[in-house]
Amino acid sequence: MDDWTKGYIADVDYSQGYYRELTPPFLAFALLSQGIRPPKTTGKLRYCELGAGHGFTCNVVASTHPEAEVWATDFNPAFAATARRLADAADIPNINVLDASFEEFAALDLPPFDVIVLHGIYSWVMAEHRKAIVEFIRDKLAFGGVVYLSYNCLPGWAPILPLRRLLSEMAQRATGSTDERIEAALAEAESLAELGAGYLEANSTARKQLTAIGQMPRYYVAHEYFNRIWTPLYHLDVARQMHQAKLTFTASAELQHHIERLCLTPAHQQKLAGIDDLPFRETVRDVILNQQFRKDIFVRGPERVAASERRELLLATRFALTVPRDQIETWADYPLGRYPLDQGPAGEILDGLVQGPRVLADLVSPKDPEDFERKVEALVVLVGTGRVEVGLPPAGDATRAERTRRLNEVILERARHGDQLQSLVSPVLGGALKVDRLHRLFLLGESQGHTDFASFAYAILKEEAEAKQRQGQSVRAPSPLGILMLAQKFDAEMRPLLTQHGIL
Ligand SMILES: C[S@@+](CC[C@H](N)C(=O)[O-])C[C@H]1O[C@@H](n2cnc3c(N)ncnc32)[C@H](O)[C@@H]1O
């Protein structure tokens, strides 16, 4: 019988992460700030996620873009089922989830997509599946469409390649479940290191990584290091493959990289400016930065927008704080320095957002012609650090809120049993906002009519801790007074923010 997993780890669960880079408003800002025409973020957007895992992000996108048509596939039926269940529980009608492989998915009658996203896929599948992905994009992406593609890259991973291969081979030769094989392989590699293996002695990065892997969560280790396929790629090669689908690398979704003067010395910048071949220039940049992971945005027919149109579109873009103002650091750290967040243009933006989400036009001084570009750069930094998020136009808030309310109810209910869905969905953002489990339990209690929601959350956490203690795990019981104080802090700090985001 054909093995549908094709060497992919399928018996270890994967996190139900939310990735903002996959949302249309984020992608639009990453492109527009660079002067490239963005994808639409409202209306009849056709959106597709390949290898969606448990599908939290694509459900968030469908919920916050009610007129969009969202398609998602993951060939692991257990993952696709989680995604489907979430959509059903939250009454999200505009998402189609399948457990199809890329090839099977491509054979379906699908609309031409405006946006196709794949996160954590491309370097974890065999060359033939990468080919299938490229063919899918060539056939199914509309012209003008946008692809978000993240992957492990070279040269950053180069010192780790032999270690990774060794671990994978050792795990294949061990017995038992994937978890048991991982433990056996890690122990085996440690024993090789103790014997003084020359590779690990000569490559301190690899030696440190082996120790670090031993301390990482096992679900992550399983998918990052123990897939049979793990191929860090040169950007140059990825760009060539995407070229076959008529795509051009257009911008990085790693917004920190957009602030060149804080990532590259003047000599680096001069060296790169002398390279006309864009994929090679990006590859040399990866060498300079010793890049391990890339978040590329490709466009099928990128179009530069006129400066005046860029200005108009950016001025109409809405932004919101993701954490209370006084929790934001004083500086954003970069490889070559720091960018001030509490003063200058970033400080002014943060102050301007305290009362709630604002469009950029409300944050720019009309008297100072230079202020617009300064504020755009500050927003690139603030969005890059995750302290500010890009939003959708205010006009659709009420319609979107009808949808997101139901999804948030489901997310809150799930907090009772664990901490898998860690964000609440915001109709303002067109995305989600990370919210601590304790805060989600407060909100769950409140939504069920418990005025003393601190006691409600305390009772759940106490019962959970006692159950773990009965199983012999050493877990500290929660303190009722501690939780009461955190509830007061929640009321003072988080509640106003969640209200501004249309979550409450
Ligand atoms: C590392 S996980 C990333 C999941 C998700 N994108 C995320 O970032 O949370 C890779 C996913 O790709 C799926 N996958 C791997 N090969 C596939 C294929 N040939 N067709 C469809 N899905 C595939 C796996 O089942 C897995 O869920």
Side-chain angles (χ1 to χ4, degrees), residues 33-203:
S33 60
Q34 296 281 298
I36 308 294
R37 183 166 301 289
K40 54 184 165 186
T41 55
T42 55
K44 297 199 180 308
L45 174 79
R46 282 149 307 185
Y47 179 97
C48 168
E49 182 171 1
L50 298 176
H54 291 291
F56 185 32
T57 309
C58 54
N59 269 298
V60 169
V61 169
S63 162
T64 54
H65 296 75
E67 290 177 56
E69 181 178 344
V70 175
W71 289 78
T73 190
D74 194 294
F75 73 173
N76 187 329
F79 291 3
T82 321
R84 176 79 271 157
R85 263 195 298 277
L86 183 59
D88 287 348
D91 300 328
I92 304 174
N94 55 328
I95 185 167
N96 305 282
V97 182
L98 289 105
D99 70 345
S101 70
F102 306 132
E103 295 86 340
E104 290 163 349
F105 194 46
L108 302 179
D109 184 18
L110 299 168
F113 291 112
D114 303 299
V115 177
I116 297 179
V117 297
L118 348 50
H119 182 62
I121 308 294
Y122 206 62
S123 34
W124 289 266
V125 294
M126 282 189 260
E128 67 190 75
H129 297 297
R130 280 198 289 279
K131 191 161 170 278
I133 289 169
V134 174
E135 281 166 9
F136 180 88
I137 292 171
R138 191 195 58 214
D139 294 346
K140 310 289 180 186
L141 184 73
F143 48 86
V146 170
V147 167
Y148 168 82
L149 180 77
S150 66
Y151 52 97
N152 274 345
C153 68
L154 290 165
W157 275 110
I160 315 294
L161 272 168
L163 171 65
R164 197 324 284 191
R165 179 69 187 266
L166 185 72
L167 288 172
S168 169
E169 293 293 333
M170 284 170 164
Q172 283 169 48
R173 282 160 181 75
T175 52
S177 65
T178 299
D179 279 335
E180 288 162 341
R181 287 163 185 262
I182 289 174
E183 296 312 325
L186 287 173
E188 186 81 354
E190 272 298 342
S191 83
L192 251 186
E194 280 158 25
L195 287 176
Y199 156 65
L200 291 165
E201 286 187 349
N203 292 281

Side-chain angles (χ1 to χ4, degrees), residues 21 26-32 34 36 39 116 145-151 235 242 247-255 258 294-300 302:
E21 294 87 349
F26 184 96
L27 290 170
F29 178 64
L31 289 169
L32 188 56
Q34 296 281 298
I36 308 294
I116 297 179
V146 170
V147 167
Y148 168 82
L149 180 77
S150 66
Y151 52 97
H235 169 80
M242 289 299 138
L247 301 189
T248 308
F249 170 74
T250 309
S252 172
E254 195 65 80
L255 294 186
H258 292 205
R294 286 189 60 105
K295 297 177 179 178
D296 287 353
I297 306 175
F298 288 89
V299 179
R300 182 164 181 161

